[in-house]
Amino acid sequence: MGAIASELKPQSISAFVNRRGRVIRVAIGNPIETQIPLIELPRQGAERLCGIRCITSQYSQKDPNHKALVAMALQRLDALVTIHVTGEGSTGKRGRGAAGYVTTASVSHLVPGEERWEVSPVQQLNAVIEDDFFELVEGLESEFSRLYSNRQVDDTRDRTVLVGLHTSELSDRQLQERLDELELLVDSAGGEVLETLCQRRDRLHPKTAIGPGKVQDLALLVQDTGANMVVFDRELSPSQVRLLEEQVGARVVDRTEVILDIFAQRARSRAGKLQVELAQLEYLMPRLMGRGRAMSRLGGGIGTRGPGETKLEVERRGIQRRISFLQRQVNQLQAHRRRLRLRRQRREVPTIAIVGYTNAGKSTLLNALTASDAYAADRLFATLDPTTRRLQLDAHTPLLLTDTVGFLTELPPQLVDSFRATLEEVTEADALLHVVDISHPSWSEQIAAVDALLDDMDIETGPRQLVFNKIDRASEDLLALVRQHYPRSLQISAKDRLHFDRLLEVLGGFAKANTLQLG
């Protein structure tokens, strides 16, 4: 912009900026160099322009390059004015180079629809100055607002864009299954998925997880869809979240945060609420430290001494105290449940824990076997708190069935740690019923995920019985294949009570074996 500043009269710029006495914001320079973080723009939203116009110059009458137009779109500039100058002119003082003369100009601005932007024909600078930019901006914002209103169906739900990273350890099918599961998680959390964006990378980008070009694509997609949240299919670091939010202009969360939010919504009992809060604080604590380490005054050394604790230190200390309190409460909960289990054991009543992937039909099976009314729904993590019901197989054979929290691939470690009181119902059971949703396309991977989580508990559990549920939704060929690979498994439909006779026989065998062992 040095060439323009040397030859263009200041009052010409002032007349262009303050036409009709209205003060508007103008950035002078390349739209990439003068880029303002999206969260700091004067106005934000898919239905508005940002309220800033950018003036730049170039030594040709070509249209602005693609990067400049993308930067205009990302910031939703009112307009991008490109002034064309000659390469000739007087030499600046102290050898600062030649200044050019203004010849013509062009105006670029956003437009609704797939074309995204429009570049005007080359015209004389006076014609550009005489253009009514206020009328242009008002007309564009009116059209953007109309399109934005048409997209809004339910303002109570977060409008979400999913982001998947196709790394070398994932196949195409595995990536799609991860994204399908993430979409179900977002829906369970109360969000609505509008679009999905994927990138193939050997490893995650250290700053933004996805590459810089893909970040721009994501920001444009957020604008086009009117999304207010972006969800990644894997855990992000605090710095990655911060940089992405600055560049995308929407809230960014990862898979773990979505799961924690679902648990916070579904927790009903005091025990469940305690454990969810503990998991959330344990997730927040390192992120609080990560994003504010430079603000700490307690480390000592140059630049760290001052009047006392910062707000960060106060928040961190308060969270640590709350975590310690919740851990004591969870320990008391463990002790209480341990006493209940000992009481059941003294009565010589065997306990069978129903485990499995989330939404496999565990609660439905519990209700069908015991004629109870435990909450059951066709959604992820419908059950958080363990539910125990008595099943009387015959006059002399009672047993207790315990429904447990559903498992998940890559279950956040914070949840595993904070739900240890709940998971002890699994480790202390006399036997396990491993329920599998055979109608799910990834049922074999779900079996492996549950087995891995059970093995990671490093506690000897009782015998496990594999039970394939929802056979009413599976084909005969699939059922035959399952019988071939898992000959000792059971195939049932908890909803329709199909093949319960064989299941009850297996439960009776568990009960008798436990009675003999106690005898």
Side-chain angles (χ1 to χ4, degrees):
M1 200 53 207
I4 291 295
S6 299
E7 291 295 330
L8 195 60
K9 295 180 180 180
Q11 58 266 31
S12 298
I13 297 179
S14 177
F16 180 75
V17 172
N18 300 322
R19 190 168 184 262
R20 296 182 181 177
R22 301 183 186 180
V23 178
I24 60 174
R25 296 178 176 87
V26 173
I28 300 180
N30 186 292
I32 302 173
E33 297 171 349
T34 61
Q35 190 163 350
I36 300 173
L38 301 184
I39 58 177
E40 297 180 11
L41 291 173
R43 297 202 302 261
Q44 300 178 37
E47 74 278 19
R48 303 290 303 274
L49 297 174
C50 77
I52 296 177
R53 302 166 195 178
C54 181
I55 302 176
T56 186
S57 65
Q58 64 185 33
Y59 289 106
S60 70
Q61 293 186 348
K62 295 180 180 179
D63 289 346
N65 61 42
H66 182 74
K67 290 181 64 176
L69 294 172
V70 168
M72 174 188 71
L74 290 176
Q75 298 174 91
R76 297 190 69 81
L77 298 176
D78 289 7
L80 169 62
V81 180
T82 305
I83 299 177
H84 308 135
V85 297
T86 65
E88 302 174 353
S90 59
T91 302
K93 294 181 179 180
R94 298 182 181 179
R96 292 184 178 178
Y101 295 100
V102 175
T103 57
T104 53
S106 63
V107 179
S108 308
H109 60 79
L110 300 181
V111 294
E114 297 181 358
E115 294 184 1
R116 197 183 298 279
W117 52 64
E118 180 180 291
V119 181
S120 73
V122 175
Q123 51 190 317
Q124 295 297 316
L125 183 60
N126 288 337
V128 175
I129 293 175
E130 293 299 320
D131 283 343
D132 193 334
F133 278 91
F134 292 106
E135 182 178 350
L136 172 66
V137 170
E138 290 172 359
L140 289 174
E141 288 191 337
S142 176
E143 185 64 17
F144 281 125
S145 179
R146 184 184 67 81
L147 293 177
Y148 180 81
S149 299
N150 291 340
R151 284 198 301 257
Q152 307 312 303
V153 179
D154 186 358
D155 288 338
T156 62
R157 308 187 72 188
D158 285 315
R159 302 177 301 279
T160 304
V161 172
L162 303 185
V163 180
L165 285 99
H166 193 173
T167 51
S168 55
E169 68 271 12
L170 292 177
S171 65
D172 292 343
R173 183 180 65 85
Q174 289 173 327
L175 175 65
Q176 187 58 50
E177 290 171 355
R178 285 176 64 94
L179 292 174
D180 290 343
E181 183 175 86
L182 184 60
E183 183 173 355
L184 289 175
L185 288 170
V186 171
D187 180 71
S188 297
E192 177 186 6
V193 176
L194 304 179
E195 291 287 345
T196 300
L197 185 70
C198 297
Q199 184 181 34
R200 185 184 295 273
R201 293 185 63 88
D202 293 334
R203 58 183 182 275
L204 273 64
H205 192 280
K207 292 185 177 180
T208 54
I210 55 178
K214 216 62 175 180
V215 173
Q216 289 190 347
D217 293 343
L218 177 60
L220 293 175
L221 185 59
V222 166
Q223 286 189 8
D224 292 343
T225 58
N228 62 356
M229 187 170 69
V230 176
V231 180
F232 277 71
D233 70 335
R234 59 194 63 215
E235 190 166 320
L236 301 174
S237 68
S239 60
Q240 287 173 337
V241 171
R242 183 174 62 252
L243 288 174
L244 284 166
E245 288 182 343
E246 290 176 356
Q247 297 180 38
V248 173
R251 185 184 173 206
V252 175
V253 300
D254 56 23
R255 183 174 179 271
T256 299
E257 195 166 352
V258 174
I259 296 173
L260 290 173
D261 184 79
I262 295 173
F263 274 58
Q265 293 182 42
R266 305 285 166 77
R268 293 291 181 267
S269 67
R270 175 177 175 272
K273 292 177 180 179
L274 279 175
Q275 293 172 113
V276 168
E277 184 181 357
L278 178 58
Q280 289 178 318
L281 291 178
E282 288 178 342
Y283 176 81
L284 173 63
M285 190 63 181
R287 283 154 178 78
L288 181 68
M289 295 173 65
R291 69 171 177 261
R293 189 176 299 275
M295 298 166 55
S296 175
R297 294 185 185 274
L298 301 184
I302 297 175
T304 63
R305 290 175 282 269
E309 289 186 321
T310 63
K311 182 180 179 181
L312 170 67
E313 300 295 347
V314 175
E315 290 179 356
R316 185 189 304 169
R317 195 179 299 277
I319 290 175
Q320 287 174 333
R321 284 197 297 265
R322 183 63 179 172
I323 288 176
S324 298
F325 170 77
L326 293 174
Q327 285 176 337
R328 290 194 298 271
Q329 295 292 311
V330 171
N331 291 337
Q332 293 176 8
L333 178 63
Q334 280 184 287
H336 174 67
R337 285 182 172 163
R338 189 177 299 111
R339 289 192 294 270
L340 292 179
R341 285 193 297 272
L342 290 174
R343 188 182 307 170
R344 292 198 300 263
Q345 291 172 1
R346 284 195 294 268
R347 294 175 182 172
E348 299 183 357
V349 178
T351 301
I352 312 297
I354 304 175
V355 301
Y357 211 79
T358 180
N359 202 33
K362 300 183 295 298
S363 299
T364 303
L365 178 59
L366 177 72
N367 289 337
L369 287 172
T370 62
S372 58
D373 57 351
Y375 179 73
D378 186 14
R379 60 195 309 186
L380 301 185
F381 297 117
T383 300
L384 293 185
D385 300 305
T387 303
T388 301
R389 296 290 185 269
R390 184 184 181 93
L391 172 62
Q392 193 73 35
L393 293 174
D394 55 43
H396 305 288
T397 313
L399 58 81
L400 297 176
L401 291 178
T402 299
D403 182 20
T404 60
V405 63
F407 289 17
L408 193 71
T409 304
E410 299 177 13
L411 193 66
Q414 296 88 356
L415 286 177
V416 176
D417 292 339
S418 62
F419 273 77
R420 62 186 184 273
T422 300
L423 296 175
E424 279 186 359
E425 298 289 343
V426 175
T427 61
E428 298 286 343
D430 298 304
L432 304 181
L433 284 185
H434 181 176
V435 181
V436 181
D437 178 4
I438 196 174
S439 66
H440 195 284
S442 302
W443 58 267
S444 60
E445 287 83 356
Q446 291 183 355
I447 292 176
V450 173
D451 286 341
L453 285 170
L454 290 173
D455 294 339
D456 286 344
M457 291 181 184
D458 197 25
I459 298 178
E460 188 68 26
T461 60
R464 304 180 193 177
Q465 174 62 53
L466 203 57
V467 180
F468 288 94
N469 188 27
K470 305 183 184 180
I471 61 174
D472 52 305
R473 303 181 184 180
S475 65
E476 286 298 329
D477 292 340
L478 177 57
L479 296 178
L481 179 65
V482 169
R483 283 192 293 268
Q484 179 182 354
H485 286 82
Y486 301 94
R488 297 185 179 180
S489 66
L490 302 179
Q491 296 182 358
I492 67 167
S493 171
K495 179 181 178 182
D496 299 331
R497 299 181 61 87
L498 295 177
H499 302 170
F500 269 27
D501 51 349
R502 176 58 181 150
L503 175 60
L504 292 174
E505 289 179 11
V506 171
L507 292 176
F510 284 154
K512 291 177 182 178
N514 182 75
T515 302
L516 290 174
Q517 183 178 2
L518 291 175

